[in-house]
Amino acid sequence: IIIRANDVGNWLRIKDVASVKDSFKKEDIINKTLGTRSINLIVMKKGSGDAITIVKKLKKACDAFVENCEDELEISYVNDYSFFAKRRLNVLKNNGWASLVLIIASVLLFLQWRVAAMTVLGIPIAFFITFIVMDMMGITINLISMFGLIIVLGMLVDNGIIVAENVYRYMESGMRPREAAVRGSEEVMGAVTTAVLTTIAAFSPLLFMTGIIGKFIRNIPTVLIVALLASLGEALIILPSHLADFVKIKYDERGKPMNIVRDMPWFKKLVGFYTRVVTAAIKRKYKVLAGFTAVLLVCAFLAFSVIKFILFPAAGINYFFIRGEAPIGTPLQKTNELILPVEEIVSQMNAEEMDTFVTSVGSIQEDRHDPFAGQASHLVQVAVYLTPEQDRKRDVEEIIEDVRKKAKDIKGFAELRFDKPEAGPPVGKAVEARIRGERFEVLDEIAGEYMGYLETIDGTMDVTWDHKPGKEEIRVKVDNDKAALAGLSVAQIANTVRAVFEGSIATKIKPIKAEEETDVTVMFPEDISGDINVFKSILIRNRFGNLIPLENVATINKVPGTTTIHHLDGKRVVTASCSVDTDKTTSLKVNNLLEKKFGDLSQRYIGYSVKYGGEQEETMDSLMSLLKAFFYAFLIIYLILSSSFKSIVQPLIIMLAIPFGLIGVVIAFLVHGMPLSFMAILGVVGLNGIVVNDSIVLVDFINKLRREGIDRHTSIIKAAQMRIRPVLLTTITTAGGLCTVAYGIGGKDPFLVPMALSICWGISFATLLTLIVIPCIYSIVDDMALRIAKRSSLIRTAKVGNNKETAEPRGM
């Protein structure tokens, strides 16, 4: 909250404390907003507090204060986190409605309206159950948990669609609703349960990610798992009951249903076209598999060599900082004058882009936990707050670059840099070379080499370090030998020097009527103690009672001071850092160049080492954690499928849908010109469990038909025909539920876009490939099993024809 006024008197009425008047006599910090003097109030909420409610109450209290204040005050609100919470709530709400309409339209397109209504009813039921469990687990509705709810929005109805579609299929054949509900639910119960468990298995490893990012995303898999389990219970218990009770069917004289069967000529044509395609694909199954494998390899090459990787892109950032450092010792008022040209440039920014800006002269700080914060008279910071990204044409990096060019000729600063906050959790600068050792002289020399090389790399900006000299200090260095000969100790010398400048209590007096004693302090006069020559006048009494001049036992030097000393793993550390222009390079590339340039630092400087931190460290840790999560999810999914299908081969057939889903992810980010990021890879991990769901149901139906005695080729074609409707429905609902988030149809949240794009495009491509490639792979694997093991890949085989499985021609 920024309170602006024109004179000190107005500020005194705000604070109403005497100490404020004294602080204006000798200011340590000057705060300005839009060029006008101001007081900045930072309001922190408790963990249990509701940000939206608190901000509403704060604004109401501020409005009442301004109305009752006689003076002209203007209050501005900056860095309002309730804005982001409300934006994501609106995204959830608006996209929820958009997704609901899309889902209802999709279901109505294929199913009878009563069946569709009962299916869609599962969404609010699953959400209500999820909210109850979240409350029991102490999970609040925050930016992260809402992210999980948005992701799962399109998945909640998938289980219900599979159950309802199978029940509807039996109703179409003339079966009574109650009998159809029981038989249809029982038939797909195993496949639906397996599909949910695989999706849970894909997200569950994220619960065990370590580091700050692990804590950051922990609520996402938790909310997803709870919601999916709730939807499974609704689909297997509540939905069949509703279908049995509320779906009314009229029958003709022959017992055929009259109001349940829908005549859909377009769908019949679609099934016919698909039948021809999948039949042709199976006949050329080896060529089809080779073709898609080649496409997959090309996409893998593009992902690793063409598409950039940025841990957390700058999308969605609505403010940045201009931080200046004048020469050490520059008075506060002089620093205030130096920053005026910068404020003038910022004030001329387009009103559609700039909301407000706050200047703090004498302080550099993002928040109270900022590790790079500093306070001195030569420091200054301008925090520029922008309008929401969807309301402006340029992103934050383009705006920063424009302001940087305009401010490049401003004189008087030793350093003027531009910083922006991270989009995700705090991970430090894009590039940080942390040099460890003992002597600051050597550390500074090495840091200088790193900074010199960083400045030569195209795309690096704001190269700096954290071991900058502070204010000058007077250092008294005692000669121990001379002090011992003079009968003095270091403690005696230190106490005497302190008494000169701070005073020493000589005695205490207590007037007759006074309740407390009064200290009598003896010290040098202020006009003398402010001169460095005062040290020549200091005399120290030794243990023999003699007065010894300070300059006889010590040397007095004026040297630059050190503001901070940093340690890493028990050793002193100096960090050279910079930002990067992501249009030209990435932090990974810059760090790789540093490693190639400097190699093993200990070979040139014995006892000194370097550790690359910041975004590089978090990127590598995050990628390793995600790689482990991907592997564990893959393993758990395989174990679940093996247990369900009682086979070690068929789960591999189903899981081959996973890499084909990655084709869609790569194409999506190439088409949109976006870099891969942590949230995109998080979507890929979740995609593991989602893309196999259609394959599970498809393979399960092929197996059932084969157990009924139908030959392999016919089983594959017939199962594909039977499952195309639920496969398309589940894909449309999941992709449709997330495409509104990916493209901001119901309100855009840039932080959510990468993950939504990953899942949306991944599952769309995976479904198309599943319907064509999985039947081919099933046939190929069965061929191999018959040739190598002399038995079908289907272990539990019913009696077929002559009581045995027969190998089919190679072209089948």
Side-chain angles (χ1 to χ4, degrees), residues 282-346:
I282 293 174
K283 288 180 179 179
R284 302 168 181 82
K285 52 192 171 185
Y286 292 98
K287 292 180 180 179
V288 170
L289 182 60
F292 281 111
T293 303
V295 173
L296 180 62
L297 293 175
V298 171
C299 288
F301 170 78
L302 293 173
F304 287 103
S305 61
V306 176
I307 303 178
K308 295 179 181 178
F309 182 85
I310 301 173
L311 189 64
F312 288 100
I317 294 176
N318 294 326
Y319 62 99
F320 65 92
F321 302 101
I322 306 172
R323 289 168 172 167
E325 295 185 21
I328 296 170
T330 302
L332 195 69
Q333 293 299 333
K334 177 64 176 176
T335 307
N336 186 33
E337 293 174 8
L338 291 175
I339 200 64
L340 290 178
V342 177
E343 291 182 312
E344 180 65 22
I345 292 172
V346 174

Side-chain angles (χ1 to χ4, degrees), residues 186-339:
E186 285 180 343
E187 191 172 45
V188 295
M189 180 176 65
V192 168
T193 304
T194 302
V196 171
L197 291 178
T198 56
T199 307
I200 291 174
F203 285 100
S204 58
L206 300 178
L207 291 168
F208 306 101
M209 281 188 65
T210 57
I212 189 169
I213 293 181
K215 296 177 181 178
F216 180 70
I217 66 166
R218 193 151 295 161
N219 280 350
I220 296 175
T222 303
V223 170
L224 277 164
I225 291 169
V226 171
L228 287 171
L229 290 175
S231 71
L232 177 64
E234 191 278 336
L236 296 181
I237 299 172
I238 301 174
L239 178 59
S241 175
H242 286 169
L243 292 175
D245 292 336
F246 295 103
V247 176
K248 306 299 181 183
I249 303 177
K250 295 179 181 179
Y251 299 91
D252 58 16
E253 301 83 8
R254 295 173 297 174
K256 296 290 183 181
M258 297 172 57
N259 63 330
I260 193 73
V261 180
R262 299 192 61 181
D263 186 22
M264 296 184 293
W266 66 268
F267 183 67
K268 292 178 182 178
K269 291 180 180 178
L270 177 64
V271 173
F273 172 75
Y274 170 64
T275 303
R276 293 191 297 273
V277 170
V278 76
T279 303
I282 293 174
K283 288 180 179 179
R284 302 168 181 82
K285 52 192 171 185
Y286 292 98
K287 292 180 180 179
V288 170
L289 182 60
F292 281 111
T293 303
V295 173
L296 180 62
L297 293 175
V298 171
C299 288
F301 170 78
L302 293 173
F304 287 103
S305 61
V306 176
I307 303 178
K308 295 179 181 178
F309 182 85
I310 301 173
L311 189 64
F312 288 100
I317 294 176
N318 294 326
Y319 62 99
F320 65 92
F321 302 101
I322 306 172
R323 289 168 172 167
E325 295 185 21
I328 296 170
T330 302
L332 195 69
Q333 293 299 333
K334 177 64 176 176
T335 307
N336 186 33
E337 293 174 8
L338 291 175
I339 200 64

Side-chain angles (χ1 to χ4, degrees), residues 100 103-123 157 160-161 164-165 168 239 243 247 260 262 729:
L100 193 63
I103 290 167
I104 292 173
S106 304
V107 176
L108 283 172
L109 192 63
F110 289 93
L111 306 178
Q112 193 251 8
W113 74 271
R114 289 179 184 269
V115 178
M118 294 301 103
T119 305
V120 174
L121 189 62
I123 295 178
V157 76
I161 285 175
E165 191 278 337
Y168 180 71
L239 178 59
L243 292 175
V247 176
I260 193 73
R262 299 192 61 181
L729 264 177

Side-chain angles (χ1 to χ4, degrees), residues 756-807:
L757 272 179
S758 291
I759 297 177
C760 185
W761 281 64
I763 194 172
S764 298
F765 273 77
T767 298
L768 294 174
L769 297 176
T770 295
L771 290 171
I772 298 171
V773 180
I774 292 300
C776 295
I777 296 174
Y778 187 101
S779 184
I780 290 171
V781 171
D782 213 48
D783 280 347
M784 294 173 63
L786 287 168
R787 289 174 184 174
I788 297 171
K790 305 301 181 184
R791 62 184 300 176
S792 168
S793 62
L794 177 64
I795 294 176
R796 295 181 300 162
T797 307
K799 294 181 179 180
V800 181
N802 295 327
N803 218 16
K804 64 179 181 179
E805 275 279 353
T806 58

